[in-house]
Amino acid sequence: MAPSRRLSLLGPSSRAETRRIADILRKETIGGALLLIAAVAALVFANSPWSEAYAGLRSATIGPVELHLDLSLAKWASDGLLAIFFFVAGLELKREFVAGDLRDPRRAVVPVAAAVGGVIVPALLYLLVNALMDGEVRGWATPTATDIAFALAVLAVVGRRLPAALRTFLLTLAVVDDLLAIVIIAVFYTSHLSVLPLLAALVPLGVFTVLVQRRVRSWWLLLPLAAVTWGLVHASGVHATVAGVLLGFAVPVLRSEKAGGPEAGPGLAEHFEHRFRPISAGVAVPLFAFLSAGVSLGGLGGVTNLLADPVSLGVVVGLVVGKPLGIMAATWLTARFTRADIDEGLAWVDVGGLAILSGIGFTVSLLVGELAFGLGTARDAQVKLAVLTGSLVAALLATVVLRLRDRAYRRLAEAEAEAEADAGTDAGTDADAGTGTGTGAGTDADGFAAGSTFTK
């Protein structure tokens, strides 16, 4: 009997899934570069002679007062622009669990377990630090998120020769991470709840769902319904980004039987994802970063205060230590109790480098910090500085590890290329020898046999 094949933790995806993920990675990598530019610009303005103008821009209020939507630009960025980001996240989540690799429970267990570990351990470390230093527990969820755009941008720069399975794993982990972040925001950071607007939001959401289930793509029908849904969820007290997720979940993933079924091509969710991902990665998230990341660094005194403040220290420890520890522990436990192996050609140090890289928490971490401590407060500024510091440290540490692994894979590829070249040369020599005398051929045969024995 042939031995049963063990489950591969980071095995290859299907060809269609690989192409789709590669397209997502390219867009998210470009988005990560724009996000970095926006964050640096915000820091420059906030620590320059134009800092007051920057603060005035963030606090400028626009919107209809009658609808209670007279919000500052910073608030519009966190509640409005990030709703687009979470709409795309909702599309991606549904796509993965309906038609992607996560529809197979055996493949889903690893990124799900890793994401859960990457949420629980940072939160526990944050709570431990704040319990020992008499800090505040409200920000426990701040270090639990991974910024996929930043992480993929770093991976694209330092790990060009790393196996594609690592990028796929990072993307899938981040998708599950987003789902957990959505649940945390909806459950733990809803300060007040108005039931009537929340129930009213079900009406436009229901109409939106019926239209997209009938494969309606008309923007003049769908966008007003989405805007009304967002406005009612915002009025209910639930964070408005949850509306984006609900709208994303409503979009069908597979084609209808009338349109040819799943084999006829991408469904409406993938169509919307192609439309809105560039808007999310190229406009919404960078603008949010520009309006949220601008904090005063305060020189060396700011660093000292950061290390002395329990909330800030908890965020940094959660991102730099908690994230990789939680992801590695969950992945190892999954391997231990399912008797699974990582994919052939990968090493646990590769997973470790990826786990460290997952400590880059930016977009959602900044949002959770604002929800926990209040937008524009002194504590909010400290948390933002802690998120930036922790993300930078995680990026630098991951760069060192992944750069070393990238060089190792480059040397391996060069060695394989040389071996293939030598094999081609040897094949040509053997062919020439075969035209010689019988004695020479016998000598070659003996030599080949000896070589085979040595190799084995």
Side-chain angles (χ1 to χ4, degrees):
M1 293 180 60
S4 60
R5 186 176 181 270
R6 297 186 73 182
L7 175 64
S8 175
L9 289 184
L10 300 177
S13 305
S14 63
R15 182 171 299 178
E17 187 71 4
T18 300
R19 286 197 301 267
R20 190 183 71 85
I21 289 175
D23 181 59
I24 293 175
L25 293 176
R26 283 193 295 270
K27 292 177 181 176
E28 291 290 359
T29 301
I30 295 172
L34 295 175
L35 185 59
L36 179 61
I37 293 172
V40 171
L43 288 172
V44 169
F45 274 109
N47 293 273
S48 71
W50 301 284
S51 59
E52 292 186 4
Y54 173 77
L57 175 66
R58 294 179 69 243
S59 60
T61 301
I62 59 172
V65 179
E66 297 79 7
L67 299 177
H68 304 288
L69 291 176
D70 48 333
L71 309 175
S72 66
L73 289 180
K75 190 67 174 175
W76 273 111
S78 63
D79 288 12
L81 291 177
L82 284 192
I84 302 174
F85 168 80
F86 278 103
F87 173 71
V88 175
L91 293 173
E92 178 63 22
L93 277 167
K94 188 173 181 180
R95 174 68 177 77
E96 284 293 326
F97 282 101
V98 172
D101 286 338
L102 293 184
R103 72 185 185 278
D104 181 0
R106 296 199 314 159
R107 294 186 62 86
V109 65
V110 182
V112 169
V116 171
V119 168
I120 293 176
V121 176
L124 291 177
L125 287 181
Y126 174 93
L127 292 173
L128 178 62
V129 170
N130 281 268
L132 294 175
M133 300 176 65
D134 295 327
E136 300 182 55
V137 300
R138 285 183 297 166
W140 62 270
T142 305
T144 60
T146 296
D147 193 287
I148 183 59
F150 259 153
L152 286 176
V154 173
L155 191 61
V157 173
V158 304
R160 297 181 180 180
R161 295 176 181 84
L162 292 174
L166 287 178
R167 292 174 172 83
T168 303
F169 179 69
L170 178 61
L171 178 63
T172 309
L173 183 150
V175 166
V176 181
D177 191 285
D178 285 340
L179 175 61
L180 296 175
I182 292 161
V183 173
I184 289 172
I185 290 172
V187 174
F188 295 99
Y189 291 101
T190 299
S191 57
H192 67 278
L193 181 63
S194 299
V195 178
L196 189 59
L198 189 60
L199 292 177
L202 296 177
V203 176
L205 177 61
V207 177
F208 180 92
T209 303
V210 171
L211 291 176
V212 293
Q213 290 295 327
R214 292 177 176 272
R215 276 60 181 179
V216 173
R217 301 185 183 185
S218 303
W219 65 267
W220 52 272
L221 281 175
L222 298 180
L223 284 183
L225 290 170
V228 173
T229 303
W230 175 89
L232 289 171
V233 172
H234 181 274
S236 73
V238 177
H239 198 266
T241 53
V242 175
V245 180
L246 296 176
L247 292 165
F249 283 167
V251 181
V253 171
L254 303 177
R255 279 178 173 261
S256 64
E257 294 299 329
K258 183 178 179 180
E263 304 302 324
L268 192 58
E270 192 166 345
H271 170 76
F272 281 175
E273 192 178 330
H274 282 299
R275 288 281 186 90
F276 285 95
R277 186 176 292 278
I279 299 174
S280 171
V283 179
V285 176
L287 279 177
F288 167 77
F290 178 74
L291 292 170
S292 298
V295 293
S296 177
L297 300 179
L300 293 178
V303 176
T304 303
N305 294 334
L306 183 71
L307 298 177
D309 178 60
V311 171
S312 301
L313 185 60
V315 170
V316 174
V317 172
L319 290 173
V320 178
V321 180
K323 268 298 203 182
L325 184 61
I327 291 172
M328 284 296 293
T331 307
W332 183 85
L333 288 172
T334 303
R336 175 69 176 81
F337 290 104
T338 62
R339 298 182 61 81
D341 291 325
I342 60 174
D343 190 43
E344 183 179 357
L346 294 177
W348 278 103
V349 66
D350 299 326
V351 183
L354 205 67
I356 297 172
L357 187 64
S358 299
I360 300 177
F362 189 82
T363 305
V364 180
S365 291
L366 292 178
L367 174 61
V368 173
E370 291 179 358
L371 296 176
F373 299 106
L375 178 63
T377 62
R379 176 64 76 189
D380 178 41
Q382 288 178 314
V383 169
K384 288 178 179 178
L385 183 57
V387 169
L388 295 173
T389 302
S391 299
L392 178 61
V393 173
L396 293 176
L397 292 176
T399 297
V400 173
V401 175
L402 295 176
R403 193 65 177 172
L404 291 174
R405 294 302 297 162
D406 188 71
R407 291 177 181 175
Y409 280 109
R410 182 184 63 184
R411 290 193 295 267
L412 181 62
E414 292 172 351
E416 290 177 350
E418 291 177 1
E420 290 177 0
D422 292 341
T425 303
D426 291 342
T429 303
D430 290 343
D432 293 339
T435 60
T437 63
T439 304
T443 304
D444 288 341
D446 292 340
F448 179 77
S452 298
T453 303
F454 176 79
T455 302
K456 184 176 179 180

